[in-house]
Amino acid sequence: MIIIKKIYLFFKRESKLFFSNIVDLFSNILFFFLSVFVFIFALGTDEQLLKTIGIGIIWSLLLLSSTLSLRKFYEEDFKIEILPIIHMGGMSYELIVFLKILSHFTFVQIPFLVSLPIVSIFFNLPANEVYNLILTFIIGSLILSCLGSISASMNLLNKTNFSIGSVIVLLFSIPLIIFSVGINNADSDFNTLFNLLIGIALIFLGIAPWSSAACIKLALKNK
Amino acid sequence: MFKFLINPSRFNKFADIILKPLIIITSFTLILGLFLIYFSPLDYQQGLTVKIMYIHVPSAWLALLTYAIMAIYSIIGLSFKIPFSFVVNKAIAPIGAVFTLLCLISGSMWGKPMWGAWWVWDARLTSVAILFIIYLLIIFLNQTFENRDVREKTIAIFILIGSINLPIIKFSVDWWNTLHQPASVSKLSSPSIDISMLQPLLIMTVAFSLIGIIIAILRIKAEILIRKKYL
């Protein structure tokens, strides 16, 4: 029972942190909207063209705008040295990373979900494609959170080369974008690709806690 | 017996013994391989361009093999805390990158006359390109962190995560419908390549791996010297 209370307290702290800095999230979403606008201005407003390439553009811009908030995944907690204190309270680093991924998923990725139907209006997407997009984004954003945790924990002590974290996220998100955009192709089966996406999410949920915890331990040891 | 694979001083001794004979054997094998390539038969469909295969296939195999060695050394280094494995990781990453680049370039030179395009977005080609990017990232990460311990272990973890790509490269021709042909040598049943082409291919593979080993030995020795001097 105690562990449930600890998890509850962890989430309470995360939500307080999140609501104290909610402007950051709004500016991320604003970045997403503006980049969609820029893309449409660059391509021209041909309706048929926008309809065919809409899903791909939305997904790639989602990826880019989700890499914006990655640096603060562990940065603040690492700076004020709260992670060892939580660890001393009886949680392993792996569990902390797992909870952190879940809280990032709920507090940062889910608000993006609200913006998806609005953006798809700009591209005149049909209703079933919007439905597919939202379903794939729920799974895909979980993968994005895992990747973000991996790259943010790798770059905790990195003080020179800032762009490499985003490069790592983009590199490992290639399978995600292949399968999630491929769902909307006419000749592909929805269930197969969706199951593949869930499989990728489970793989990364298995890898991310181990690797992030190892990197965090390294960073704490050599701080 | 295989202590030289994890112990720097033993490695140095072993390298001093083996380096000169290895260079002689390598040059002999390479000359023999080039000779056999010159007299190997032309393909009845592809004509002269089939000879690109003797560069393309060995470099592709060695690109994968180098990554597999790095992954194994990462596991050894992380679990048994053997620093020599990180030396190896740092030394052989550029070798793997060069082999991957060689594979990509020769492949696109082969693809232009055969498929009519320098590059197609095929599963095999894409996954090998991702392997090349992973190699580049490993080389960049080597320049990133100030603390050596953090750098080495972070790179080892990154290598282990990136090794998901290896089975994808190997089985991409079976899982997806690709333009790239499926495996014809490393099949469990008998290889579907003629013996007159298989001979030079295998000899070139041996020559390429020997060249890789020589460069790796030189780089590892240099890396050990640097660490002895500055640490």
Side-chain angles (χ1 to χ4, degrees), chain A residues 74-176:
Chain A
Y74 294 115
E75 189 102 329
E76 285 167 24
D77 293 353
F78 186 67
K79 228 177 245 169
I80 59 173
E81 299 197 340
I82 197 80
L83 288 171
I85 296 173
I86 302 174
H87 176 59
M88 271 183 259
M91 282 182 178
S92 65
Y93 282 113
E94 282 82 2
L95 184 61
I96 295 174
V97 169
F98 187 72
L99 293 177
K100 200 79 181 160
I101 288 170
L102 284 188
S103 74
H104 187 263
F105 174 66
T106 36
F107 293 129
V108 180
Q109 306 280 22
I110 292 295
F112 265 102
L113 211 61
V114 185
S115 67
L116 284 183
I118 307 171
V119 167
S120 52
I121 291 173
F122 297 134
F123 287 102
N124 293 316
L125 293 179
N128 65 327
E129 284 195 6
V130 179
Y131 174 71
N132 287 353
L133 179 68
I134 289 173
L135 270 186
T136 49
F137 182 71
I138 291 174
I139 302 296
S141 57
L142 192 58
I143 302 175
L144 278 181
S145 298
C146 293
L147 292 175
S149 151
I150 291 174
S151 94
S153 61
M154 267 187 186
N155 290 300
L156 274 179
L157 285 184
N158 175 3
K159 293 190 180 63
T160 46
N161 192 349
F162 292 116
S163 53
I164 205 155
S166 319
V167 176
I168 290 172
V169 172
L170 284 185
L171 176 70
F172 287 120
S173 61
I174 290 172
L176 160 68

Side-chain angles (χ1 to χ4, degrees), chain B residues 10 14 25 32 50 52 112 117 124 132 145 148 226:
Chain B
R10 290 209 183 188
F14 182 77
I25 295 171
L32 181 70
V50 77
I52 296 175
K112 181 64 184 169
R124 181 49 86 70
F132 182 59
F145 297 97
R148 189 168 56 92
I226 290 171

Side-chain angles (χ1 to χ4, degrees), chain B:
Chain B
M1 187 190 172
F2 292 109
K3 266 248 164 110
F4 69 91
L5 286 176
I6 51 172
N7 186 331
S9 58
R10 290 209 183 188
F11 179 84
N12 265 341
K13 271 181 200 161
F14 182 77
D16 288 340
I17 300 169
I18 208 174
L19 196 56
K20 268 178 191 163
L22 206 59
I23 291 174
I24 296 168
I25 295 171
T26 308
S27 39
F28 178 72
T29 323
L30 197 60
I31 291 168
L32 181 70
L34 291 175
F35 189 74
L36 279 180
I37 289 174
Y38 187 76
F39 291 107
S40 70
L42 302 182
D43 192 76
Y44 80 103
Q45 270 183 332
Q46 307 195 357
L48 200 60
T49 49
V50 77
K51 295 193 178 182
I52 296 175
M53 177 181 78
Y54 304 117
I55 305 289
H56 179 72
V57 177
S59 52
W61 283 346
L62 284 172
L64 291 186
L65 183 67
T66 314
Y67 200 92
I69 291 172
M70 282 164 69
I72 291 168
Y73 265 115
S74 306
I75 294 173
I76 292 174
L78 282 178
S79 50
F80 299 113
K81 301 199 166 46
I82 295 171
F84 182 67
S85 54
F86 302 126
V87 176
V88 176
N89 271 351
K90 191 185 174 189
I92 68 177
I95 302 174
V98 168
F99 276 131
T100 318
L101 189 63
L102 205 60
C103 168
L104 285 174
I105 290 175
S106 60
S108 80
M109 281 159 75
W110 199 2
K112 181 64 184 169
M114 287 304 112
W115 302 338
W118 295 102
W119 184 265
V120 287
W121 287 103
D122 170 300
R124 181 49 86 70
L125 278 72
T126 314
S127 50
V128 174
I130 291 170
L131 181 71
F132 182 59
I133 296 171
I134 290 177
Y135 272 125
L136 284 186
L137 272 179
I138 293 167
I139 297 170
F140 292 160
L141 278 173
N142 262 316
Q143 317 287 334
T144 297
F145 297 97
E146 289 162 10
N147 189 314
R148 189 168 56 92
D149 194 37
V150 176
R151 181 175 65 217
E152 286 167 341
K153 289 186 177 161
T154 310
I155 291 171
I157 293 166
F158 181 73
I159 290 172
L160 284 183
I161 299 170
S163 63
I164 305 170
N165 198 18
L166 288 191
I168 295 179
I169 295 176
K170 170 74 180 99
F171 296 110
S172 57
V173 283
D174 305 328
W175 290 344
W176 289 283
N177 288 323
T178 55
L179 204 55
H180 193 283
Q181 63 157 2
S184 49
V185 179
S186 58
K187 282 199 306 194
L188 287 178
S189 54
S190 63
S192 55
I193 178 172
D194 191 70
I195 192 76
S196 62
M197 289 183 175
L198 188 62
Q199 270 172 351
L201 181 61
L202 290 183
I203 288 175
M204 277 311 274
T205 311
V206 172
F208 265 55
S209 38
L210 287 176
I211 293 172
I213 288 172
I214 288 175
I215 301 171
I217 284 176
L218 293 176
R219 280 186 61 87
I220 292 170
K221 278 180 79 169
E223 189 65 31
I224 292 171
L225 277 181
I226 290 171
R227 289 185 188 216
K228 269 184 188 167
K229 185 157 186 185
Y230 292 106
L231 296 171

Side-chain angles (χ1 to χ4, degrees), chain A residues 17-81:
Chain A
L17 276 178
F18 166 73
F19 283 113
S20 70
N21 197 8
I22 201 163
V23 185
D24 192 56
L25 177 76
F26 280 126
S27 52
N28 267 358
I29 293 178
L30 198 64
F31 178 87
F32 174 57
F33 269 93
L34 271 179
S35 50
V36 166
F37 283 176
V38 167
F39 223 112
I40 293 176
F41 293 147
L43 281 173
T45 50
D46 183 8
E47 264 183 36
Q48 204 53 44
L49 179 72
L50 289 182
K51 207 179 265 184
T52 45
I53 61 175
I55 295 279
I57 288 174
I58 289 176
W59 257 107
S60 40
L61 293 178
L62 270 175
L63 268 181
L64 289 178
S65 41
S66 73
T67 57
L68 278 181
S69 63
L70 283 183
R71 277 202 72 77
K72 60 172 197 127
F73 207 107
Y74 294 115
E75 189 102 329
E76 285 167 24
D77 293 353
F78 186 67
K79 228 177 245 169
I80 59 173
E81 299 197 340

Side-chain angles (χ1 to χ4, degrees), chain A residues 184-219:
Chain A
N184 283 304
N185 285 349
D187 55 342
S188 62
D189 183 22
F190 179 83
N191 282 331
T192 321
L193 288 176
F194 196 66
N195 289 345
L196 267 171
L197 262 184
I198 294 176
I200 297 172
L202 288 178
I203 287 176
F204 277 112
L205 269 181
I207 294 174
W210 163 73
S211 54
S212 301
C215 289
I216 288 173
K217 280 178 210 163
L218 260 179

